Amino acid sequence: MFVLETILYFAYHVLLLPFGVLLSFAFSSVALLQKKNGVVLGGLVLFCGALQLAAYLVFDELMVWKIYPLITHVPTVLVLCLRYHKGVVTALCAVSSAYLCCQPPRWMGILTASLTKSAVAGHVVSILVLLPVAALIFWYIAPTLSKLFHKDIKSVLIFGAVPLAYYLYDYSMGIYTDFWTNNNRVVIEFLPFLLCVAFFLFCIVYYEQYEQKADTEQKEQLIRIAVEQQSRE
């Protein structure tokens, strides 16, 4: 049973690599159906996979998770910035959003393992959930996010604040420190606090853009009425 659990555990994390890179490219408006972009994506997945394998052979698992951003996320950001000329903020938001999208399969697996008392069942569910989640995000969410992440930096930061903050929160509290295991109330309450702040900032930005759009439409309508009036006269 332990061998099967280990195989499923690594199989799930092997699948997460192309899942995360694919979504990072999609969120950055990279045309995935173009052959040359597919080659770049495949090369990046193989490169990061080789780095991860080398890390597992040299370090223990905890150390691999600590350097995971350096061997996976940083190369992805560099490719998006250097190869596709995306802004650093856009690339960071895209990668952190892809990281956030890994949580639904992970949570479903944890829930299953908790209910069934079986780690094997949890890994199986995580793997099975991963594909439909990827399809859902790719077809329905990625087109919208890719447009949002190509607005001005202020808007990108507002929309990308939650994924970026969650990324930093997850690594700082769960991997680089043991605050999660200590049940620190400050740590537990920080994420709801962050979501609250992000929500109000989003409301402010959305309202400002809505007002600007309404004001522009009103001015255009007044100009149209004035032109029509002059034509009649």
Side-chain angles (χ1 to χ4, degrees), residues 2 23 37 63 65 90 101 104 111 142 164 181 200 208 217:
F2 177 75
L23 289 184
N37 294 335
M63 187 61 185
W65 281 116
T90 296
C101 291
L111 176 63
L164 281 171
T181 58
F200 287 119
E208 289 179 351
E217 291 178 349

Side-chain angles (χ1 to χ4, degrees), residues 92-147:
L92 288 174
C93 289
V95 172
S96 59
S97 296
Y99 180 80
L100 183 62
C101 291
C102 296
Q103 301 313 307
R106 176 186 175 188
W107 182 83
M108 291 296 293
I110 293 174
L111 176 63
T112 302
S114 177
L115 294 176
T116 62
K117 309 300 180 183
S118 171
V120 171
H123 295 320
V124 170
V125 169
S126 295
I127 293 172
L128 293 178
V129 171
L130 189 62
L131 183 59
V133 167
L136 179 65
I137 294 174
F138 179 77
W139 291 109
Y140 296 103
I141 299 178
T144 300
L145 274 185
S146 63
K147 294 176 182 177

Side-chain angles (χ1 to χ4, degrees), residues 72-90:
T72 303
H73 302 145
V74 170
T76 304
V77 170
L78 289 177
V79 169
L80 290 174
C81 293
L82 300 179
R83 174 64 176 81
Y84 295 104
H85 308 292
K86 305 298 181 180
V88 176
V89 174
T90 296

Side-chain angles (χ1 to χ4, degrees), residues 190-206:
F190 175 73
L191 194 55
F193 160 77
L194 176 67
L195 292 175
C196 177
V197 173
F199 171 74
F200 287 119
L201 288 176
F202 170 79
C203 290
I204 292 172
V205 172
Y206 179 81

